[in-house]
Amino acid sequence: MINQSGTENKILLELNRISAFYGSIQVLFDVSIKVPDGSVVALLGRNAAGKTTTMSTITGLVRARTGTIFFENEDISQKETSEIVRKGIMMVPEGRRIFPEMTVFENLQMGAFIRKKDKSFSETLEYVYALFPRLAERKKQLGGTLSGGEQQMLATGRGLMASPRVLLMDEPSMGLAPVLVDNIFDTIRQLHATGTTILLVEQNARMALKHAHRGYVLETGRVTLSGTGEELLNDPRVRAAYLGE
């Protein structure tokens, strides 16, 4: 990715020939992905292609059997999830997975569990409320009573409370009405504008590639295509397989 000064951004997160297994079943095969600092990178693929497993491997929820994961030039592939989060990687999981019996504010507090409740906590909370005014309006409301779109706002806000360098977003538009999908991608644009690096798993390939600087296509656990967002949007194989053309 080329930044505004005309120089290439450094690679912030890199997966180098990662393989991963569930028991004896291999699900990732030599997956290599580069995420430049300040970029939006899309990871596309059909169901069971290995997208969520890739995210889980980055965060340490699934251990890479072989290969390395570098974050800021440090190998994090065998580190504990809590340490990975402290280093600056946070995931917004598929299906949102908020805490339904906690209030909106309490859910956001959980996102900041690695931080002390100090001035920076308050500043980040205000940032999240400014990004999602609906959450500020409903801060005392139980998470489980929110609409699907509001729950996605809450899940994203919870991830941002850790002030991550890289935000992993797993299917953020899943199950949402088209107008809410537009809102999600507006949020992604805003986050990118503030310098947040985003790795995005998304089945809405057209929207994902329109917003991505770079994209990768996973098929049965292997990277089969990669390129800029524009290149993949115009690739006939992507158009046939993911855009219905």
Side-chain angles (χ1 to χ4, degrees):
M1 176 186 171
I2 306 300
N3 59 33
Q4 291 181 345
S5 66
T7 59
E8 189 170 351
N9 285 19
K10 70 175 183 179
I11 302 301
L12 186 60
L13 176 68
E14 180 177 3
L15 282 67
N16 183 25
R17 303 194 66 179
I18 290 295
S19 68
F21 291 71
Y22 289 122
S24 61
I25 300 173
Q26 187 169 0
V27 290
L28 296 181
F29 300 80
D30 289 336
V31 170
S32 294
I33 293 171
K34 293 182 179 181
V35 182
D37 192 10
S39 69
V40 178
V41 175
L43 187 58
L44 308 179
R46 300 184 186 281
N47 288 336
K51 305 184 303 295
T52 295
T53 301
T54 300
M55 295 285 213
S56 297
T57 304
I58 293 169
T59 58
L61 296 172
V62 173
R63 289 291 181 203
R65 184 76 61 87
T66 61
T68 49
I69 301 171
F70 291 102
F71 179 62
E72 295 190 309
N73 296 318
E74 179 184 359
D75 185 356
I76 63 168
S77 52
Q78 299 302 318
K79 293 190 180 299
E80 296 297 325
T81 298
S82 59
E83 187 175 355
I84 292 170
V85 170
R86 286 186 174 89
K87 288 183 179 297
I89 300 175
M90 194 74 171
M91 183 160 71
V92 180
E94 178 184 351
R96 300 178 270 280
R97 299 186 190 179
I98 63 164
F99 300 100
E101 301 302 320
M102 291 183 176
T103 66
V104 166
F105 175 69
E106 289 168 340
N107 270 272
L108 294 176
Q109 281 184 306
M110 291 299 292
F113 74 97
I114 63 171
R115 304 169 59 187
K116 295 180 180 178
K117 192 172 181 181
D118 54 12
K119 181 180 179 181
S120 63
F121 171 89
S122 300
E123 289 174 348
T124 306
L125 182 64
E126 289 306 311
Y127 168 71
V128 170
Y129 282 158
L131 190 63
F132 302 115
R134 190 67 60 86
L135 298 183
E137 296 169 4
R138 287 162 167 68
K139 60 186 176 184
K140 295 183 180 180
Q141 190 170 324
L142 294 180
T145 66
L146 300 177
S147 68
E150 291 166 346
Q151 289 188 14
Q152 184 60 52
M153 294 177 195
L154 181 54
T156 304
R158 182 181 60 189
L160 292 172
M161 287 301 298
S163 294
R165 293 287 310 284
V166 178
L167 189 66
L168 312 180
M169 302 185 74
D170 194 355
E171 302 286 7
S173 75
M174 180 180 287
L176 300 183
V179 65
L180 296 178
V181 173
D182 289 340
N183 290 343
I184 289 297
F185 282 94
D186 283 342
T187 299
I188 289 171
R189 277 196 297 270
Q190 292 179 62
L191 293 175
H192 169 250
T194 62
T196 302
T197 302
I198 298 171
L199 178 59
L200 172 68
V201 163
E202 179 57 61
Q203 286 192 340
N204 189 329
R206 188 182 305 276
M207 289 291 282
L209 292 175
K210 280 183 177 180
H211 291 80
H213 302 95
R214 188 161 188 83
Y216 293 84
V217 176
L218 271 180
E219 294 181 5
T220 58
R222 295 173 172 85
V223 173
T224 56
L225 288 172
S226 65
T228 66
E230 184 177 2
E231 287 170 345
L232 291 180
L233 264 178
N234 293 317
D235 190 300
R237 294 164 293 181
V238 174
R239 298 178 76 87
Y242 300 101
L243 304 181
E245 298 180 4

